[in-house]
Amino acid sequence: MSADARPDEVPAAYGQEGADPRRWKALTVCLVAGFMTLLDVSIVNVALPTIRTGLDAPQSTLQWVVSGYALAFGLVLVPAGRFGDMYGRRNAFVFGVVLFTLASAAAGVAQDPTWLVIARLVQGVAGGIINPQVSGLIQQLFRGSERGRAFGLLGATIGISTAIGPLLGGLLIYLGGDHDGWRLVFYVNVPIGILAVVLAYRYIPLLKPGERRRESIDPVGVLLLAIGVVLILLPLVEGQQWQSPERWLLPPAGLIVIAGFVAWERRYGRRSQPVVDLSLFGRRSYALGALLAALYFAGFTAIFFILTLYLQNGLHYSALTAGLATTPFAVGSAVTSVLGGRIVTRFGRPLVVGGLVLVAVALAVTELMVRLVPGHQVAWAIAVPLLAAGLGSGLVISPNQTLTLSEVPVVRAGAAGGVLQTGQRIGSAIGIAVVGSVFFGAASSNGDYSLAFRHGLLLTIAFVLVALVVAVIDVITARRAARP
């Protein structure tokens, strides 16, 4: 290792001499755990009716089963990434998986709604600990084209877990029955978590004590960031239950706190390493990539939210059938995520532009099919456009993540990945809140779920198009910068 090499960089770990032979096995362990945590974002949606029946839970509790997980998940991403950068990503990863496994078991045996909500909050915290370690380990263990391939597999994991959640949830509920089938949604995580912990100790490299960096965790910065994120996310994730207009005072207050956080980080950064290195946003690839990801996730996540509601509430599909309708998107995303990871270093951001165009066009065709086709045939009619949308999505998520983190120093990879994923979680919450309000508003006014879905879908297309504008700006500025 050279004299100026960072302590947790793995030298030549990318098909070159000195490569860590365990790197692909380590990646597999990380992706399995990441899949488990991201799956729990969407898999619970189709289980809510059976949870309500099984626990006699009020609607407000059901909302917290979903929103509490998302809120806790987004809250800890950045400090967890920073902790992994400082003290070793394997330790943080294993702790997160153990906590997630125990919380999943607790959720599965829950005897009342409060018990279930607390377990979901702990699950969310654990998921937020795990995910920045995954992107950080990819940065640590891979370089060049291999890093693109690794991020391609991560992108496939993100796309598949989000899209296949309703299908897997519906299948588990079908197997477990209408009263207790929802418990299988949580129990399925337990054997996966145990296996992930065992394999993590075997394959994920551990920092030696002398390689750990002695830095402050920046507690003031962590607290300010946490308060800001909560103030922004809370009225969004509680949008359907908290109808008071005063809730919209919280996001501006959150932005003020975030501004205070930025000021503190600038000041703190003059004497020590802050929890978020603001110089990252001086890199065009990171700043525009993070914005693009937040915008795309606002539309991407909302698609499955309103599609599941439309099929189950509007067309009275079963949970399993509604889940099957999302499968084409998952298949398309899986195929092109892996492909996109392999070719992103050759094509760069224009690949993302092409993916966004395909997503927008495919969703527009989906809207047209819902408009023209009778309700009982909708699932078949939208299969091909959803497959095309999935193919486009695979060319967006993993290539964008690769490009966004391409210039980030390895020793800051966990925190940088945490910031990126926090933006994705905020984008998802904004998308679901805004698109959901349009959907529910249209559905309640005239009872036409088809019209409500089409209105919500048009709004998701708008988010995708704004993300496309950001991608085009990045392509143009990059080409201008490359001119002599």
Side-chain angles (χ1 to χ4, degrees):
M1 183 178 291
S2 63
D4 37 65
R6 296 293 187 179
D8 63 346
E9 289 191 65
V10 178
Y14 320 99
Q16 303 170 9
E17 186 178 354
D20 190 324
R22 303 169 298 175
R23 64 193 183 279
W24 289 106
K25 294 178 180 178
L27 176 64
T28 301
V29 177
C30 291
L31 294 182
V32 168
F35 179 87
M36 177 176 65
T37 62
L38 294 170
L39 184 71
D40 267 50
V41 175
S42 61
I43 194 173
V44 174
N45 287 329
V46 296
L48 293 180
T50 56
I51 291 175
R52 185 172 190 173
T53 301
L55 292 182
D56 193 23
Q59 186 63 36
S60 58
T61 298
L62 295 179
Q63 179 68 19
W64 267 100
V65 169
V66 177
S67 62
Y69 182 88
L71 186 63
F73 192 106
L75 191 62
V76 300
L77 283 166
V78 176
R82 171 70 184 280
F83 183 88
D85 290 340
M86 291 170 58
Y87 298 106
R89 298 182 181 104
R90 190 180 84 174
N91 290 340
F93 177 85
V94 169
F95 174 75
V97 174
V98 169
L99 185 62
F100 192 91
T101 304
L102 293 174
S104 297
V109 299
Q111 299 301 306
D112 58 68
T114 302
W115 181 339
L116 179 59
V117 169
I118 293 173
R120 284 289 286 173
L121 289 171
V122 177
Q123 263 194 317
V125 169
I129 293 172
I130 294 168
N131 276 272
Q133 316 312 325
V134 176
S135 59
L137 281 163
I138 291 175
Q139 293 282 91
Q140 176 182 325
L141 294 174
F142 298 92
R143 289 285 190 278
S145 61
E146 279 201 358
R147 180 182 286 180
R149 290 169 57 194
F151 272 122
L153 293 171
L154 176 59
T157 300
I158 295 171
I160 294 172
S161 62
T162 304
I164 209 172
L167 171 61
L168 183 57
L171 179 61
L172 291 172
I173 292 167
Y174 175 79
L175 294 174
D178 290 338
H179 191 271
D180 285 326
W182 63 271
R183 297 185 187 275
L184 297 181
V185 168
F186 301 109
Y187 286 147
V188 73
N189 296 326
V190 175
I192 298 173
I194 293 172
L195 181 63
V197 169
V198 173
L199 295 180
Y201 276 115
R202 183 170 183 178
Y203 296 123
I204 297 178
L206 178 67
L207 286 184
K208 298 177 182 179
E211 295 175 332
R212 296 176 182 176
R213 306 200 311 275
R214 302 294 181 182
E215 295 177 358
S216 169
I217 197 67
D218 185 12
V220 175
V222 169
L223 181 62
L224 287 173
L225 181 61
I227 293 173
V229 170
V230 169
L231 290 175
I232 292 171
L233 283 180
L234 186 59
L236 297 173
V237 299
E238 279 286 281
Q240 297 307 313
Q241 296 302 315
W242 187 7
Q243 296 294 331
S244 171
E246 285 79 9
R247 76 183 191 274
W248 297 117
L249 296 175
L250 294 186
L255 293 176
I256 293 172
V257 174
I258 293 296
F261 163 76
V262 171
W264 168 262
E265 294 295 272
R266 292 186 186 279
R267 178 183 175 187
Y268 188 82
R270 297 190 188 107
R271 65 179 188 272
S272 187
Q273 182 62 40
V275 66
V276 175
D277 186 352
L278 297 178
S279 67
L280 290 172
F281 293 96
R283 304 171 188 266
R284 187 199 73 256
S285 61
Y286 188 83
L288 291 178
L291 176 60
L292 189 156
L295 290 166
Y296 182 70
F297 269 74
F300 162 71
T301 312
I303 294 169
F304 307 104
F305 177 66
I306 61 173
L307 178 59
T308 303
L309 288 170
Y310 168 50
L311 295 176
Q312 288 188 272
N313 296 351
L315 301 181
H316 306 293
Y317 283 29
S318 68
L320 179 58
T321 307
L324 282 169
T326 66
T327 304
F329 190 103
V331 172
S333 178
V335 171
T336 52
S337 290
V338 177
L339 174 64
R342 291 177 179 273
I343 64 177
V344 63
T345 53
R346 187 191 315 169
F347 294 101
R349 191 71 74 186
L351 182 66
V352 179
V353 171
L356 288 167
V357 170
L358 181 55
V359 172
V361 171
L363 292 182
V365 175
T366 301
E367 192 275 340
L368 182 63
M369 291 295 101
V370 173
R371 182 193 300 265
L372 299 178
V373 175
H376 64 280
Q377 298 177 4
V378 161
W380 292 106
I382 64 176
V384 172
L386 283 181
L387 174 64
L391 292 171
S393 185
L395 298 177
V396 175
I397 295 177
S398 60
N400 181 66
Q401 187 142 357
T402 302
L403 296 167
T404 302
L405 297 176
S406 61
E407 298 178 9
V408 174
V410 173
V411 291
R412 306 297 173 210
V419 172
L420 180 61
Q421 292 185 53
T422 300
Q424 293 172 358
R425 300 278 72 77
I426 292 175
S428 296
I430 291 174
I432 289 175
V434 175
V435 175
S437 66
V438 170
F439 176 89
F440 287 116
S444 61
S445 63
N446 54 27
D448 188 343
Y449 277 88
S450 174
L451 181 64
F453 176 70
R454 283 160 40 207
H455 285 179
L457 195 57
L458 290 173
L459 193 52
T460 65
I461 295 171
F463 278 117
V464 173
L465 291 176
V466 177
L468 175 60
V469 171
V470 174
V472 171
I473 290 173
D474 189 32
V475 171
I476 294 174
T477 53
R479 289 178 177 175
R480 287 178 178 174
R483 292 173 184 170

mmCIF file with all atom_site columns, all heavy atoms in Angstrom, residues 267-287:
data_model
loop_
_atom_site.group_PDB
_atom_site.id
_atom_site.type_symbol
_atom_site.label_atom_id
_atom_site.label_alt_id
_atom_site.label_comp_id
_atom_site.label_asym_id
_atom_site.label_entity_id
_atom_site.label_seq_id
_atom_site.pdbx_PDB_ins_code
_atom_site.Cartn_x
_atom_site.Cartn_y
_atom_site.Cartn_z
_atom_site.occupancy
_atom_site.B_iso_or_equiv
_atom_site.pdbx_formal_charge
_atom_site.auth_seq_id
_atom_site.auth_comp_id
_atom_site.auth_asym_id
_atom_site.auth_atom_id
_atom_site.pdbx_PDB_model_num
ATOM 1   N N   . ARG A 1 267 ? -18.582 24.810 9.357   1.00 0.00 ? 267 ARG A N   1
ATOM 2   C CA  . ARG A 1 267 ? -17.763 25.262 10.482  1.00 0.00 ? 267 ARG A CA  1
ATOM 3   C C   . ARG A 1 267 ? -16.986 24.102 11.099  1.00 0.00 ? 267 ARG A C   1
ATOM 4   O O   . ARG A 1 267 ? -15.787 24.210 11.358  1.00 0.00 ? 267 ARG A O   1
ATOM 5   C CB  . ARG A 1 267 ? -18.663 25.920 11.532  1.00 0.00 ? 267 ARG A CB  1
ATOM 6   C CG  . ARG A 1 267 ? -17.924 26.397 12.775  1.00 0.00 ? 267 ARG A CG  1
ATOM 7   C CD  . ARG A 1 267 ? -18.910 26.973 13.779  1.00 0.00 ? 267 ARG A CD  1
ATOM 8   N NE  . ARG A 1 267 ? -18.240 27.326 15.022  1.00 0.00 ? 267 ARG A NE  1
ATOM 9   C CZ  . ARG A 1 267 ? -18.864 27.724 16.115  1.00 0.00 ? 267 ARG A CZ  1
ATOM 10  N NH1 . ARG A 1 267 ? -20.189 27.839 16.120  1.00 0.00 ? 267 ARG A NH1 1
ATOM 11  N NH2 . ARG A 1 267 ? -18.194 28.023 17.210  1.00 0.00 ? 267 ARG A NH2 1
ATOM 12  N N   . TYR A 1 268 ? -17.677 22.990 11.325  1.00 0.00 ? 268 TYR A N   1
ATOM 13  C CA  . TYR A 1 268 ? -17.040 21.835 11.947  1.00 0.00 ? 268 TYR A CA  1
ATOM 14  C C   . TYR A 1 268 ? -15.958 21.260 11.041  1.00 0.00 ? 268 TYR A C   1
ATOM 15  O O   . TYR A 1 268 ? -14.932 20.769 11.519  1.00 0.00 ? 268 TYR A O   1
ATOM 16  C CB  . TYR A 1 268 ? -18.113 20.781 12.235  1.00 0.00 ? 268 TYR A CB  1
ATOM 17  C CG  . TYR A 1 268 ? -17.630 19.607 13.045  1.00 0.00 ? 268 TYR A CG  1
ATOM 18  C CD1 . TYR A 1 268 ? -17.550 19.686 14.434  1.00 0.00 ? 268 TYR A CD1 1
ATOM 19  C CD2 . TYR A 1 268 ? -17.270 18.405 12.437  1.00 0.00 ? 268 TYR A CD2 1
ATOM 20  C CE1 . TYR A 1 268 ? -17.118 18.601 15.184  1.00 0.00 ? 268 TYR A CE1 1
ATOM 21  C CE2 . TYR A 1 268 ? -16.847 17.317 13.173  1.00 0.00 ? 268 TYR A CE2 1
ATOM 22  C CZ  . TYR A 1 268 ? -16.768 17.422 14.546  1.00 0.00 ? 268 TYR A CZ  1
ATOM 23  O OH  . TYR A 1 268 ? -16.336 16.357 15.293  1.00 0.00 ? 268 TYR A OH  1
ATOM 24  N N   . GLY A 1 269 ? -16.180 21.332 9.730   1.00 0.00 ? 269 GLY A N   1
ATOM 25  C CA  . GLY A 1 269 ? -15.231 20.762 8.785   1.00 0.00 ? 269 GLY A CA  1
ATOM 26  C C   . GLY A 1 269 ? -13.896 21.471 8.754   1.00 0.00 ? 269 GLY A C   1
ATOM 27  O O   . GLY A 1 269 ? -12.917 20.931 8.214   1.00 0.00 ? 269 GLY A O   1
ATOM 28  N N   . ARG A 1 270 ? -13.808 22.666 9.322   1.00 0.00 ? 270 ARG A N   1
ATOM 29  C CA  . ARG A 1 270 ? -12.525 23.374 9.353   1.00 0.00 ? 270 ARG A CA  1
ATOM 30  C C   . ARG A 1 270 ? -11.552 22.754 10.352  1.00 0.00 ? 270 ARG A C   1
ATOM 31  O O   . ARG A 1 270 ? -10.334 22.958 10.257  1.00 0.00 ? 270 ARG A O   1
ATOM 32  C CB  . ARG A 1 270 ? -12.747 24.846 9.716   1.00 0.00 ? 270 ARG A CB  1
ATOM 33  C CG  . ARG A 1 270 ? -13.591 25.619 8.704   1.00 0.00 ? 270 ARG A CG  1
ATOM 34  C CD  . ARG A 1 270 ? -13.577 27.101 8.993   1.00 0.00 ? 270 ARG A CD  1
ATOM 35  N NE  . ARG A 1 270 ? -14.519 27.820 8.160   1.00 0.00 ? 270 ARG A NE  1
ATOM 36  C CZ  . ARG A 1 270 ? -15.668 28.333 8.580   1.00 0.00 ? 270 ARG A CZ  1
ATOM 37  N NH1 . ARG A 1 270 ? -16.015 28.216 9.866   1.00 0.00 ? 270 ARG A NH1 1
ATOM 38  N NH2 . ARG A 1 270 ? -16.474 28.975 7.766   1.00 0.00 ? 270 ARG A NH2 1
ATOM 39  N N   . ARG A 1 271 ? -12.094 21.997 11.342  1.00 0.00 ? 271 ARG A N   1
ATOM 40  C CA  . ARG A 1 271 ? -11.205 21.440 12.364  1.00 0.00 ? 271 ARG A CA  1
ATOM 41  C C   . ARG A 1 271 ? -11.270 19.915 12.469  1.00 0.00 ? 271 ARG A C   1
ATOM 42  O O   . ARG A 1 271 ? -10.401 19.295 13.077  1.00 0.00 ? 271 ARG A O   1
ATOM 43  C CB  . ARG A 1 271 ? -11.518 22.053 13.733  1.00 0.00 ? 271 ARG A CB  1
ATOM 44  C CG  . ARG A 1 271 ? -12.906 21.723 14.281  1.00 0.00 ? 271 ARG A CG  1
ATOM 45  C CD  . ARG A 1 271 ? -13.098 22.354 15.659  1.00 0.00 ? 271 ARG A CD  1
ATOM 46  N NE  . ARG A 1 271 ? -14.311 21.922 16.316  1.00 0.00 ? 271 ARG A NE  1
ATOM 47  C CZ  . ARG A 1 271 ? -15.494 22.496 16.171  1.00 0.00 ? 271 ARG A CZ  1
ATOM 48  N NH1 . ARG A 1 271 ? -15.617 23.532 15.372  1.00 0.00 ? 271 ARG A NH1 1
ATOM 49  N NH2 . ARG A 1 271 ? -16.537 22.034 16.822  1.00 0.00 ? 271 ARG A NH2 1
ATOM 50  N N   . SER A 1 272 ? -12.319 19.292 11.865  1.00 0.00 ? 272 SER A N   1
ATOM 51  C CA  . SER A 1 272 ? -12.447 17.838 11.935  1.00 0.00 ? 272 SER A CA  1
ATOM 52  C C   . SER A 1 272 ? -13.294 17.367 10.766  1.00 0.00 ? 272 SER A C   1
ATOM 53  O O   . SER A 1 272 ? -13.785 18.169 9.978   1.00 0.00 ? 272 SER A O   1
ATOM 54  C CB  . SER A 1 272 ? -13.085 17.423 13.273  1.00 0.00 ? 272 SER A CB  1
ATOM 55  O OG  . SER A 1 272 ? -13.079 16.020 13.420  1.00 0.00 ? 272 SER A OG  1
ATOM 56  N N   . GLN A 1 273 ? -13.449 16.059 10.662  1.00 0.00 ? 273 GLN A N   1
ATOM 57  C CA  . GLN A 1 273 ? -14.226 15.497 9.558   1.00 0.00 ? 273 GLN A CA  1
ATOM 58  C C   . GLN A 1 273 ? -15.700 15.481 9.918   1.00 0.00 ? 273 GLN A C   1
ATOM 59  O O   . GLN A 1 273 ? -16.108 14.814 10.872  1.00 0.00 ? 273 GLN A O   1
ATOM 60  C CB  . GLN A 1 273 ? -13.755 14.074 9.253   1.00 0.00 ? 273 GLN A CB  1
ATOM 61  C CG  . GLN A 1 273 ? -14.474 13.420 8.092   1.00 0.00 ? 273 GLN A CG  1
ATOM 62  C CD  . GLN A 1 273 ? -14.261 14.159 6.772   1.00 0.00 ? 273 GLN A CD  1
ATOM 63  O OE1 . GLN A 1 273 ? -13.159 14.623 6.491   1.00 0.00 ? 273 GLN A OE1 1
ATOM 64  N NE2 . GLN A 1 273 ? -15.314 14.279 5.983   1.00 0.00 ? 273 GLN A NE2 1
ATOM 65  N N   . PRO A 1 274 ? -16.550 16.231 9.193   1.00 0.00 ? 274 PRO A N   1
ATOM 66  C CA  . PRO A 1 274 ? -17.981 16.262 9.517   1.00 0.00 ? 274 PRO A CA  1
ATOM 67  C C   . PRO A 1 274 ? -18.671 14.972 9.107   1.00 0.00 ? 274 PRO A C   1
ATOM 68  O O   . PRO A 1 274 ? -18.118 14.167 8.353   1.00 0.00 ? 274 PRO A O   1
ATOM 69  C CB  . PRO A 1 274 ? -18.491 17.454 8.691   1.00 0.00 ? 274 PRO A CB  1
ATOM 70  C CG  . PRO A 1 274 ? -17.564 17.506 7.521   1.00 0.00 ? 274 PRO A CG  1
ATOM 71  C CD  . PRO A 1 274 ? -16.222 17.077 8.036   1.00 0.00 ? 274 PRO A CD  1
ATOM 72  N N   . VAL A 1 275 ? -19.901 14.785 9.593   1.00 0.00 ? 275 VAL A N   1
ATOM 73  C CA  . VAL A 1 275 ? -20.632 13.563 9.263   1.00 0.00 ? 275 VAL A CA  1
ATOM 74  C C   . VAL A 1 275 ? -20.938 13.502 7.770   1.00 0.00 ? 275 VAL A C   1
ATOM 75  O O   . VAL A 1 275 ? -20.993 12.427 7.179   1.00 0.00 ? 275 VAL A O   1
ATOM 76  C CB  . VAL A 1 275 ? -21.927 13.463 10.103  1.00 0.00 ? 275 VAL A CB  1
ATOM 77  C CG1 . VAL A 1 275 ? -22.927 14.551 9.745   1.00 0.00 ? 275 VAL A CG1 1
ATOM 78  C CG2 . VAL A 1 275 ? -22.563 12.083 9.948   1.00 0.00 ? 275 VAL A CG2 1
ATOM 79  N N   . VAL A 1 276 ? -21.133 14.660 7.126   1.00 0.00 ? 276 VAL A N   1
ATOM 80  C CA  . VAL A 1 276 ? -21.317 14.736 5.677   1.00 0.00 ? 276 VAL A CA  1
ATOM 81  C C   . VAL A 1 276 ? -20.275 15.673 5.105   1.00 0.00 ? 276 VAL A C   1
ATOM 82  O O   . VAL A 1 276 ? -20.204 16.842 5.497   1.00 0.00 ? 276 VAL A O   1
ATOM 83  C CB  . VAL A 1 276 ? -22.724 15.239 5.302   1.00 0.00 ? 276 VAL A CB  1
ATOM 84  C CG1 . VAL A 1 276 ? -22.834 15.428 3.786   1.00 0.00 ? 276 VAL A CG1 1
ATOM 85  C CG2 . VAL A 1 276 ? -23.794 14.266 5.781   1.00 0.00 ? 276 VAL A CG2 1
ATOM 86  N N   . ASP A 1 277 ? -19.446 15.160 4.228   1.00 0.00 ? 277 ASP A N   1
ATOM 87  C CA  . ASP A 1 277 ? -18.428 15.977 3.575   1.00 0.00 ? 277 ASP A CA  1
ATOM 88  C C   . ASP A 1 277 ? -19.116 16.782 2.467   1.00 0.00 ? 277 ASP A C   1
ATOM 89  O O   . ASP A 1 277 ? -19.435 16.256 1.398   1.00 0.00 ? 277 ASP A O   1
ATOM 90  C CB  . ASP A 1 277 ? -17.344 15.067 2.989   1.00 0.00 ? 277 ASP A CB  1
ATOM 91  C CG  . ASP A 1 277 ? -16.173 15.852 2.425   1.00 0.00 ? 277 ASP A CG  1
ATOM 92  O OD1 . ASP A 1 277 ? -16.274 17.093 2.341   1.00 0.00 ? 277 ASP A OD1 1
ATOM 93  O OD2 . ASP A 1 277 ? -15.165 15.232 2.062   1.00 0.00 ? 277 ASP A OD2 1
ATOM 94  N N   . LEU A 1 278 ? -19.361 18.070 2.742   1.00 0.00 ? 278 LEU A N   1
ATOM 95  C CA  . LEU A 1 278 ? -20.113 18.894 1.797   1.00 0.00 ? 278 LEU A CA  1
ATOM 96  C C   . LEU A 1 278 ? -19.367 19.123 0.494   1.00 0.00 ? 278 LEU A C   1
ATOM 97  O O   . LEU A 1 278 ? -19.981 19.510 -0.505  1.00 0.00 ? 278 LEU A O   1
ATOM 98  C CB  . LEU A 1 278 ? -20.451 20.242 2.449   1.00 0.00 ? 278 LEU A CB  1
ATOM 99  C CG  . LEU A 1 278 ? -21.359 20.162 3.686   1.00 0.00 ? 278 LEU A CG  1
ATOM 100 C CD1 . LEU A 1 278 ? -21.573 21.557 4.265   1.00 0.00 ? 278 LEU A CD1 1
ATOM 101 C CD2 . LEU A 1 278 ? -22.698 19.521 3.343   1.00 0.00 ? 278 LEU A CD2 1
ATOM 102 N N   . SER A 1 279 ? -18.062 18.876 0.496   1.00 0.00 ? 279 SER A N   1
ATOM 103 C CA  . SER A 1 279 ? -17.315 19.025 -0.758  1.00 0.00 ? 279 SER A CA  1
ATOM 104 C C   . SER A 1 279 ? -17.776 18.017 -1.811  1.00 0.00 ? 279 SER A C   1
ATOM 105 O O   . SER A 1 279 ? -17.544 18.204 -3.006  1.00 0.00 ? 279 SER A O   1
ATOM 106 C CB  . SER A 1 279 ? -15.814 18.859 -0.508  1.00 0.00 ? 279 SER A CB  1
ATOM 107 O OG  . SER A 1 279 ? -15.511 17.523 -0.114  1.00 0.00 ? 279 SER A OG  1
ATOM 108 N N   . LEU A 1 280 ? -18.460 16.939 -1.358  1.00 0.00 ? 280 LEU A N   1
ATOM 109 C CA  . LEU A 1 280 ? -18.995 15.969 -2.320  1.00 0.00 ? 280 LEU A CA  1
ATOM 110 C C   . LEU A 1 280 ? -19.941 16.640 -3.308  1.00 0.00 ? 280 LEU A C   1
ATOM 111 O O   . LEU A 1 280 ? -19.995 16.278 -4.483  1.00 0.00 ? 280 LEU A O   1
ATOM 112 C CB  . LEU A 1 280 ? -19.737 14.853 -1.586  1.00 0.00 ? 280 LEU A CB  1
ATOM 113 C CG  . LEU A 1 280 ? -18.905 13.869 -0.758  1.00 0.00 ? 280 LEU A CG  1
ATOM 114 C CD1 . LEU A 1 280 ? -19.815 12.963 0.051   1.00 0.00 ? 280 LEU A CD1 1
ATOM 115 C CD2 . LEU A 1 280 ? -18.004 13.047 -1.665  1.00 0.00 ? 280 LEU A CD2 1
ATOM 116 N N   . PHE A 1 281 ? -20.705 17.629 -2.819  1.00 0.00 ? 281 PHE A N   1
ATOM 117 C CA  . PHE A 1 281 ? -21.672 18.286 -3.682  1.00 0.00 ? 281 PHE A CA  1
ATOM 118 C C   . PHE A 1 281 ? -21.017 19.282 -4.628  1.00 0.00 ? 281 PHE A C   1
ATOM 119 O O   . PHE A 1 281 ? -21.692 19.847 -5.494  1.00 0.00 ? 281 PHE A O   1
ATOM 120 C CB  . PHE A 1 281 ? -22.745 18.971 -2.838  1.00 0.00 ? 281 PHE A CB  1
ATOM 121 C CG  . PHE A 1 281 ? -23.604 17.993 -2.088  1.00 0.00 ? 281 PHE A CG  1
ATOM 122 C CD1 . PHE A 1 281 ? -23.327 17.675 -0.768  1.00 0.00 ? 281 PHE A CD1 1
ATOM 123 C CD2 . PHE A 1 281 ? -24.664 17.369 -2.706  1.00 0.00 ? 281 PHE A CD2 1
ATOM 124 C CE1 . PHE A 1 281 ? -24.106 16.758 -0.076  1.00 0.00 ? 281 PHE A CE1 1
ATOM 125 C CE2 . PHE A 1 281 ? -25.456 16.451 -2.024  1.00 0.00 ? 281 PHE A CE2 1
ATOM 126 C CZ  . PHE A 1 281 ? -25.171 16.149 -0.705  1.00 0.00 ? 281 PHE A CZ  1
ATOM 127 N N   . GLY A 1 282 ? -19.712 19.496 -4.470  1.00 0.00 ? 282 GLY A N   1
ATOM 128 C CA  . GLY A 1 282 ? -18.968 20.271 -5.449  1.00 0.00 ? 282 GLY A CA  1
ATOM 129 C C   . GLY A 1 282 ? -18.584 19.447 -6.666  1.00 0.00 ? 282 GLY A C   1
ATOM 130 O O   . GLY A 1 282 ? -18.110 19.991 -7.668  1.00 0.00 ? 282 GLY A O   1
ATOM 131 N N   . ARG A 1 283 ? -18.802 18.139 -6.583  1.00 0.00 ? 283 ARG A N   1
ATOM 132 C CA  . ARG A 1 283 ? -18.543 17.254 -7.717  1.00 0.00 ? 283 ARG A CA  1
ATOM 133 C C   . ARG A 1 283 ? -19.830 17.119 -8.530  1.00 0.00 ? 283 ARG A C   1
ATOM 134 O O   . ARG A 1 283 ? -20.854 16.690 -8.011  1.00 0.00 ? 283 ARG A O   1
ATOM 135 C CB  . ARG A 1 283 ? -18.088 15.871 -7.228  1.00 0.00 ? 283 ARG A CB  1
ATOM 136 C CG  . ARG A 1 283 ? -16.864 15.913 -6.317  1.00 0.00 ? 283 ARG A CG  1
ATOM 137 C CD  . ARG A 1 283 ? -16.607 14.539 -5.709  1.00 0.00 ? 283 ARG A CD  1
ATOM 138 N NE  . ARG A 1 283 ? -15.566 14.571 -4.703  1.00 0.00 ? 283 ARG A NE  1
ATOM 139 C CZ  . ARG A 1 283 ? -14.287 14.307 -4.937  1.00 0.00 ? 283 ARG A CZ  1
ATOM 140 N NH1 . ARG A 1 283 ? -13.906 13.970 -6.160  1.00 0.00 ? 283 ARG A NH1 1
ATOM 141 N NH2 . ARG A 1 283 ? -13.395 14.355 -3.978  1.00 0.00 ? 283 ARG A NH2 1
ATOM 142 N N   . ARG A 1 284 ? -19.785 17.492 -9.779  1.00 0.00 ? 284 ARG A N   1
ATOM 143 C CA  . ARG A 1 284 ? -20.986 17.487 -10.612 1.00 0.00 ? 284 ARG A CA  1
ATOM 144 C C   . ARG A 1 284 ? -21.643 16.112 -10.638 1.00 0.00 ? 284 ARG A C   1
ATOM 145 O O   . ARG A 1 284 ? -22.864 15.985 -10.536 1.00 0.00 ? 284 ARG A O   1
ATOM 146 C CB  . ARG A 1 284 ? -20.629 17.903 -12.043 1.00 0.00 ? 284 ARG A CB  1
ATOM 147 C CG  . ARG A 1 284 ? -21.842 18.107 -12.958 1.00 0.00 ? 284 ARG A CG  1
ATOM 148 C CD  . ARG A 1 284 ? -21.495 18.058 -14.424 1.00 0.00 ? 284 ARG A CD  1
ATOM 149 N NE  . ARG A 1 284 ? -21.196 16.692 -14.866 1.00 0.00 ? 284 ARG A NE  1
ATOM 150 C CZ  . ARG A 1 284 ? -19.971 16.236 -15.104 1.00 0.00 ? 284 ARG A CZ  1
ATOM 151 N NH1 . ARG A 1 284 ? -18.924 17.032 -14.952 1.00 0.00 ? 284 ARG A NH1 1
ATOM 152 N NH2 . ARG A 1 284 ? -19.782 14.976 -15.482 1.00 0.00 ? 284 ARG A NH2 1
ATOM 153 N N   . SER A 1 285 ? -20.844 15.076 -10.775 1.00 0.00 ? 285 SER A N   1
ATOM 154 C CA  . SER A 1 285 ? -21.392 13.726 -10.892 1.00 0.00 ? 285 SER A CA  1
ATOM 155 C C   . SER A 1 285 ? -22.199 13.347 -9.654  1.00 0.00 ? 285 SER A C   1
ATOM 156 O O   . SER A 1 285 ? -23.244 12.700 -9.758  1.00 0.00 ? 285 SER A O   1
ATOM 157 C CB  . SER A 1 285 ? -20.262 12.713 -11.107 1.00 0.00 ? 285 SER A CB  1
ATOM 158 O OG  . SER A 1 285 ? -19.375 12.714 -10.002 1.00 0.00 ? 285 SER A OG  1
ATOM 159 N N   . TYR A 1 286 ? -21.720 13.775 -8.474  1.00 0.00 ? 286 TYR A N   1
ATOM 160 C CA  . TYR A 1 286 ? -22.413 13.411 -7.240  1.00 0.00 ? 286 TYR A CA  1
ATOM 161 C C   . TYR A 1 286 ? -23.657 14.273 -7.035  1.00 0.00 ? 286 TYR A C   1
ATOM 162 O O   . TYR A 1 286 ? -24.735 13.756 -6.732  1.00 0.00 ? 286 TYR A O   1
ATOM 163 C CB  . TYR A 1 286 ? -21.480 13.561 -6.037  1.00 0.00 ? 286 TYR A CB  1
ATOM 164 C CG  . TYR A 1 286 ? -22.083 13.026 -4.754  1.00 0.00 ? 286 TYR A CG  1
ATOM 165 C CD1 . TYR A 1 286 ? -22.015 11.673 -4.460  1.00 0.00 ? 286 TYR A CD1 1
ATOM 166 C CD2 . TYR A 1 286 ? -22.740 13.862 -3.863  1.00 0.00 ? 286 TYR A CD2 1
ATOM 167 C CE1 . TYR A 1 286 ? -22.592 11.163 -3.305  1.00 0.00 ? 286 TYR A CE1 1
ATOM 168 C CE2 . TYR A 1 286 ? -23.329 13.367 -2.703  1.00 0.00 ? 286 TYR A CE2 1
ATOM 169 C CZ  . TYR A 1 286 ? -23.237 12.012 -2.435  1.00 0.00 ? 286 TYR A CZ  1
ATOM 170 O OH  . TYR A 1 286 ? -23.823 11.515 -1.291  1.00 0.00 ? 286 TYR A OH  1
ATOM 171 N N   . ALA A 1 287 ? -23.521 15.583 -7.207  1.00 0.00 ? 287 ALA A N   1
ATOM 172 C CA  . ALA A 1 287 ? -24.643 16.484 -6.938  1.00 0.00 ? 287 ALA A CA  1
ATOM 173 C C   . ALA A 1 287 ? -25.818 16.201 -7.872  1.00 0.00 ? 287 ALA A C   1
ATOM 174 O O   . ALA A 1 287 ? -26.966 16.035 -7.425  1.00 0.00 ? 287 ALA A O   1
ATOM 175 C CB  . ALA A 1 287 ? -24.185 17.932 -7.071  1.00 0.00 ? 287 ALA A CB  1
#
